[in-house]
Amino acid sequence: MRQDASSCSLIRTFSTRGADPHPPEMSRHSKLQKQVLALYRQFLRAGKEKPGFIPRIRDEFKENSRIKKTDVMHIEYLYRRGQRQLEQLRDVNTKQLGSFSKGKEPG
Amino acid sequence: MATVRAASCLLSKRVLSNSKAVPAAAVQGYRNFHFSIYGKKNNAKVADDISTQYPVVDHEFDAVVVGAGGAGLRAAFGLSEAGFNTACVTKLFPTRSHTVAAQGGINAALGNMEEDDWRWHFYDTVKGSDWLGDQDAIHYMTEQAPAAVVELENFGMPFSRTEEGKIYQRAFGGQSLKYGKGGQAHRCCCVADRTGHSLLHTLYGRSLRYDTSYFVEYFALDLLMEDGVCKGVIALCMEDGSIHRFRSQNTVIATGGYGRTYFSCTSAHTSTGDGNAMVTRAGLPCQDMEFVQFHPTGIYGAGCLITEGCRGEGGILINSEGERFMERYAPNAKDLASRDVVSRSMTIEIREGRGVGPDKDHVYLQLHHLPPQQLATRLPGISETAMIFAGVDVTKEPIPVLPTVHYNMGGIPTNYKGQVIDHTNGEDKVVPGLYACGEAACASVHGANRLGANSLLDLVVFGRACALTIAEEHKPGEKLSPLKPSAGEESVANLDKLRFANGSLRTSEIRLNMQKAMQNHAAVFRTGSVLEEGCGKLDDIYQSMEKIKTFDRGIVWNTDLVESLELQNLMLNAVQTINSAEQRKESRGAHAREDFKDRIDEYDYSKPLEGQQKKPFDEHWRKHTMSYVDPKTGKVTLRYRPVIDHSLNEQECAHVPPAIRSY
């Protein structure tokens, strides 16, 4: 999940010890961003064996990536909720994710 | 159109043989909902614009308990102790369940205050139930009572103690010695006047030792039934709006009562009869719904409960003339007569003009003649309740009280082992996979009227009984029977309909109409014409549910939606209660009819039995009511089931033949 270019504040850090591993358009991830990325990774690993979870995990994180990075309260709330959902996903009794969808009449 | 439906019905019949298999295709189902594995859009029939999608997480357990009050917790950790992989699904945090509000105590024939015998307790309970209780279940409960209380004490429950350090037992309504001939019995074990609070916290603490998975703040929507077998529960996670299906071999319902169908009740706002409604929607009956207990001493106005323990400690009820009127209605037991007798006496006093207050519409409970020290040690909770809700200092003034809806004797019919039964072709048939315990169940130990302090006993004994029965009949780790992939679809369709409901009446308005109708038409004293009018009104209110309007369209923490689901559940309970009451043309226990003042049994027990003809089953009323509802129309169908009159072991404990009930 990367910052979109419009909101990145360009703090050019030119390391004197060598080339900066991060290109100038993207500063280093903030601590919260790193936590969210770590959570995403853990989710993907946990959901590998159980059908239906990976697409939903991707959808949720993609949807929530639209939240502004300044809206820390919201992000932290979703992060805490995500941790609880991750625990549930890891539980051996959770088997698969399906969905009930309401759509148009097939025809 | 019809052919497409037919084709997709054939598709959906492809039943999974392996419980872990994954359905590859989307299955067309109920009212435009189809189930698919999330993300797999490989079926061309699935429309492109999915307007609403509900993610469904599937869980598999050995046993699922719905409800985490006294009975639910006891069943859950009983099952975990037996090695079953158990889930406990609850809409409230366990210590917030309504069990916490119980005040009085638990009856058990421990014999700490005087010599006691559980058979005397058995006799009192059968008499209290007005001979509508199933004597095998009552035998089971009263025999297990001392062991259950000792088990609780060993779990750490802080009972009040006597000088010698034994568990303090107080007098309670309807309890006697020597089969009613030996005077008042003291067998209600208590923790001051906060027994329910201690019980629930003790059980919760104990349950943390076991590895039960708690799903807190999950609202159970429906049972997953297939071919008459219960295969699990479907629930809504209130925190994130996801649907969860809990598949298991064994489902235990312990969801409590439905006091909130009435305008004035001592129950929490969350007592909405969810379990009864789930069972009704599954096409199964509920039993004895017309028997609603009016507790004599609920605070006038607020409806908060003042425990019967006050009267056990010596409190008395007085009318406007300062008279202890219970001496006239129950010369032996006086204020400690059975609750229905006391409620009726209070109502008669008020009707005859001897009520107190500006409107003369309630009576007083006097405690100030008791030593203040005793009030402080034994009744601290109600002292505070009376101060907060009635502004009364119990050491100086009497408390204004009125009979208030308190307990539902009716509920899901079970046998003495806790298995849910249906009565078909004149026989009891066990519903496989389904169990019930607590106030939600009707075992039936309380019959037509419950004695005080028997409910907490009922919770722990039958909670444990369900766990034991399941452990007997099944093993942990058993393979689950296959389940249709689209199971639970109707529940989600209903949820979706309520979430986007846009009629003309708010949930709160419909609920208030129902509560007022029930309060006015199905009160302490009931008359045929008033009940009939009530049935008509409830039917109109049921139909008005079509016009319900909700405001919150979200899915996360949508309390508007949850309250509307609870209202649907309450409505199913209310129509069964009032229709059963209207049909029962006799007075028995808590169901008192002005137009049919007597109890109609198979013999007239007020006269000697010789020479009497036994009435056929259709002509007497000593039978259980089994009520079914068609959820679409709200129409109630009633059938009847005989009472079980034999105990579990006639040598150990002879059954009690019916007699006239007087205190």
Side-chain angles (χ1 to χ4, degrees):
Chain A
M1 197 174 78
R2 303 187 179 246
Q3 294 166 253
D4 49 357
S6 56
S7 66
C8 79
S9 51
L10 301 176
I11 302 167
R12 290 167 194 269
T13 49
F14 294 106
S15 160
T16 51
R17 270 165 281 161
D20 189 339
H22 299 279
E25 306 80 47
M26 296 180 310
S27 334
R28 295 194 187 94
H29 292 303
S30 71
K31 180 148 183 240
L32 189 57
Q33 283 173 320
K34 284 195 201 133
Q35 282 180 319
V36 173
L37 282 172
L39 185 69
Y40 185 46
R41 221 173 297 133
Q42 288 176 319
F43 257 113
L44 291 176
R45 284 198 191 121
K48 241 187 334 192
E49 301 299 313
K50 306 186 181 182
F53 282 104
I54 303 284
R56 168 132 175 97
I57 294 164
R58 285 199 220 272
D59 283 348
E60 275 282 298
F61 274 87
K62 191 161 185 165
E63 172 75 31
N64 289 329
S65 69
R66 286 192 217 135
I67 301 171
K68 282 186 177 301
K69 68 174 188 151
T70 46
D71 192 359
V72 177
M73 293 276 283
H74 192 181
I75 297 172
E76 282 182 346
Y77 156 70
L78 288 171
Y79 179 74
R80 285 190 297 269
R81 199 177 82 174
Q83 281 177 314
R84 284 193 285 272
Q85 289 168 323
L86 177 62
E87 277 314 303
Q88 204 183 79
L89 175 57
R90 282 183 175 147
D91 186 49
V92 69
N93 302 305
T94 309
K95 303 296 182 190
Q96 67 178 21
L97 183 76
S99 84
F100 282 110
S101 338
K102 188 167 78 172
K104 279 201 181 141
E105 290 285 309
Chain B
M1 192 38 233
T3 45
V4 171
R5 280 259 150 116
S8 51
C9 281
L10 286 175
L11 253 178
S12 61
K13 277 193 170 43
R14 220 192 308 131
V15 175
L16 303 174
S17 49
N18 177 0
S19 65
K20 294 202 174 135
V22 163
V27 182
Q28 172 67 45
Y30 189 91
R31 232 192 271 169
N32 294 344
F33 267 87
H34 27 260
F35 179 82
S36 55
I37 290 299
Y38 199 100
K40 282 203 165 66
K41 292 187 174 63
N42 53 7
N43 187 341
K45 285 190 178 156
V46 174
D48 282 331
D49 54 335
I50 305 284
S51 55
T52 331
Q53 204 173 34
Y54 292 92
V56 182
V57 181
D58 284 329
H59 306 260
E60 287 177 9
F61 286 93
D62 291 329
V64 175
V65 178
V66 183
L73 284 181
R74 186 66 190 83
F77 77 70
L79 285 164
S80 291
E81 204 174 18
F84 286 81
N85 197 5
T86 316
C88 184
V89 177
T90 165
K91 71 179 180 183
L92 299 171
F93 190 76
T95 53
R96 302 285 183 199
S97 304
H98 192 47
T99 309
V100 79
Q103 296 172 348
I106 312 187
N107 284 329
L110 293 171
N112 290 343
M113 309 296 280
E114 68 244 323
E115 197 199 310
D116 205 352
D117 188 342
W118 65 264
R119 294 173 190 82
W120 302 341
H121 184 193
F122 170 79
Y123 169 81
D124 290 330
T125 307
V126 173
K127 177 179 174 189
S129 76
D130 219 345
W131 281 278
L132 199 69
D134 292 327
Q135 296 200 24
D136 58 349
I138 298 177
H139 174 169
Y140 183 75
M141 184 178 83
T142 50
E143 192 178 10
Q144 297 278 325
V149 170
V150 170
E151 186 187 54
L152 284 172
E153 203 269 343
N154 291 342
F155 287 160
M157 188 161 160
F159 283 103
S160 292
R161 301 281 168 172
T162 61
E163 294 284 307
E164 299 108 48
K166 292 194 175 172
I167 294 177
Y168 171 70
Q169 293 180 286
R170 59 156 67 116
F172 228 72
Q175 304 292 337
S176 66
L177 298 165
K178 299 201 178 70
Y179 304 103
K181 304 186 188 69
Q184 179 68 38
H186 296 76
R187 64 170 76 99
C188 170
C189 311
C190 58
V191 180
D193 60 353
R194 305 189 248 256
T195 317
H197 180 274
S198 299
L199 174 79
L200 193 58
H201 282 261
T202 307
L203 286 177
Y204 180 61
R206 186 74 189 182
S207 71
L208 297 175
R209 283 181 170 229
Y210 303 96
D211 60 352
T212 316
S213 308
Y214 284 95
F215 291 87
V216 177
E217 285 166 354
Y218 280 65
F219 186 87
L221 298 168
D222 270 306
L223 298 173
L224 299 171
M225 301 284 291
E226 201 167 275
D227 306 319
V229 178
C230 181
K231 298 193 177 180
V233 185
I234 181 167
L236 167 73
C237 173
M238 298 200 273
E239 187 185 11
D240 61 11
S242 52
I243 310 287
H244 292 254
R245 292 194 297 202
F246 297 91
R247 288 182 60 193
S248 78
Q249 276 271 28
N250 311 294
T251 308
V252 182
I253 300 185
T255 47
Y258 56 95
R260 283 283 151 183
T261 44
Y262 283 80
F263 182 69
S264 172
C265 63
T266 63
S267 320
H269 288 280
T270 47
S271 295
T272 49
D274 301 324
N276 297 353
M278 281 163 50
V279 155
T280 303
R281 281 192 289 263
L284 296 168
C286 284
Q287 182 170 267
D288 294 341
M289 296 289 271
E290 63 270 38
F291 296 104
V292 175
Q293 183 172 74
F294 286 79
H295 192 284
T297 51
I299 292 187
Y300 172 67
C304 299
L305 183 68
I306 298 290
T307 177
E308 197 166 331
C310 298
R311 289 174 280 138
E313 296 292 335
I316 57 178
L317 290 164
I318 52 175
N319 59 14
S320 56
E321 291 162 17
E323 178 204 0
R324 185 183 182 180
F325 59 86
M326 283 309 301
E327 282 179 346
R328 277 186 282 126
Y329 295 94
N332 294 324
K334 307 195 184 74
D335 299 85
L336 283 172
S338 192
R339 283 179 184 175
D340 54 333
V341 172
V342 182
S343 295
R344 280 195 286 272
S345 313
M346 287 165 73
T347 311
I348 294 172
E349 288 292 303
I350 293 169
R351 263 206 290 193
E352 291 180 359
R354 291 188 289 274
V356 300
D359 298 324
K360 297 195 181 306
D361 55 357
H362 55 280
V363 295
Y364 280 138
L365 173 64
Q366 181 179 298
L367 292 172
H368 55 76
H369 59 284
L370 300 170
Q373 203 188 11
Q374 188 188 5
L375 285 176
T377 14
R378 304 291 183 204
L379 301 170
I382 54 98
S383 305
E384 209 175 309
T385 308
M387 178 50 83
I388 295 174
F389 292 98
V392 153
D393 178 356
V394 295
T395 54
K396 301 199 181 74
E397 308 155 276
I399 312 172
V401 292
L402 190 65
T404 315
V405 171
H406 177 62
Y407 185 83
N408 304 106
M409 271 71 74
I412 306 169
T414 70
N415 57 20
Y416 77 93
K417 293 193 252 193
Q419 298 169 307
V420 172
I421 52 178
D422 193 357
H423 193 72
T424 46
N425 298 332
E427 262 187 17
D428 288 338
K429 203 165 92 48
V430 170
V431 175
L434 192 57
Y435 302 78
C437 54
E439 192 175 345
C442 183
S444 156
V445 279
H446 308 304
N449 172 64
R450 172 173 78 79
L451 290 183
N454 267 356
S455 177
L456 291 178
L457 179 61
D458 173 15
L459 301 185
V460 287
V461 169
F462 287 98
R464 182 170 166 271
C466 282
L468 290 177
T469 311
I470 295 174
E472 239 175 63
E473 315 254 315
H474 299 275
K475 285 202 213 3
E478 270 180 2
K479 204 162 109 144
L480 294 176
S481 61
L483 182 68
K484 224 166 49 185
S486 61
E489 201 166 19
E490 301 85 15
S491 317
V492 179
N494 180 45
L495 186 94
D496 186 73
K497 186 183 83 165
L498 273 185
R499 184 177 158 207
F500 296 107
N502 203 9
S504 50
L505 291 169
R506 298 160 178 246
T507 308
S508 50
E509 284 166 10
I510 305 179
R511 187 173 54 220
L512 190 63
N513 291 343
M514 172 196 69
Q515 289 174 334
K516 292 223 143 123
M518 289 297 284
Q519 193 77 35
N520 292 331
H521 297 272
V524 177
F525 282 106
R526 301 165 171 181
T527 319
S529 52
V530 176
L531 283 171
E532 268 173 36
E533 198 189 327
C535 288
K537 269 201 198 156
L538 254 308
D539 189 47
D540 291 335
I541 298 171
Y542 193 94
Q543 306 307 326
S544 78
M545 290 280 289
E546 295 290 314
K547 298 189 227 136
I548 198 169
K549 182 176 172 56
T550 50
F551 294 87
D552 189 348
R553 302 287 179 230
I555 195 66
V556 174
W557 275 112
N558 189 343
T559 50
D560 199 356
L561 174 64
V562 172
E563 280 188 23
S564 308
L565 289 166
E566 287 178 338
L567 178 61
Q568 284 185 330
N569 295 340
L570 281 172
M571 285 296 322
L572 285 172
N573 284 289
V575 294
Q576 289 185 63
T577 304
I578 203 162
N579 279 281
S580 309
E582 197 268 317
Q583 278 300 312
R584 184 171 280 266
K585 296 181 167 50
E586 65 151 1
S587 289
R588 181 184 297 268
H591 175 69
R593 291 276 299 243
E594 305 257 44
D595 42 351
F596 295 95
K597 288 193 201 274
D598 300 311
R599 204 176 76 185
I600 301 172
D601 302 316
E602 65 275 27
Y603 293 110
D604 183 351
Y605 289 99
S606 60
K607 306 191 184 74
L609 292 184
E610 296 91 51
Q612 284 201 43
Q613 274 275 28
K614 185 171 180 176
K615 291 205 186 92
F617 189 68
D618 303 326
E619 288 178 30
H620 72 86
W621 283 101
R622 202 164 76 84
K623 51 197 185 187
H624 293 296
T625 314
M626 306 284 265
S627 47
Y628 301 77
V629 186
D630 176 3
K632 289 190 205 49
T633 57
K635 180 161 167 3
V636 179
T637 320
L638 297 174
R639 291 206 195 111
Y640 295 91
R641 173 181 163 246
V643 176
I644 298 177
D645 280 322
H646 57 83
S647 70
L648 287 175
N649 186 332
E650 289 291 325
Q651 266 77 50
E652 263 181 31
C653 170
H655 77 277
V656 182
I660 290 299
R661 181 167 170 256
S662 67
Y663 287 97

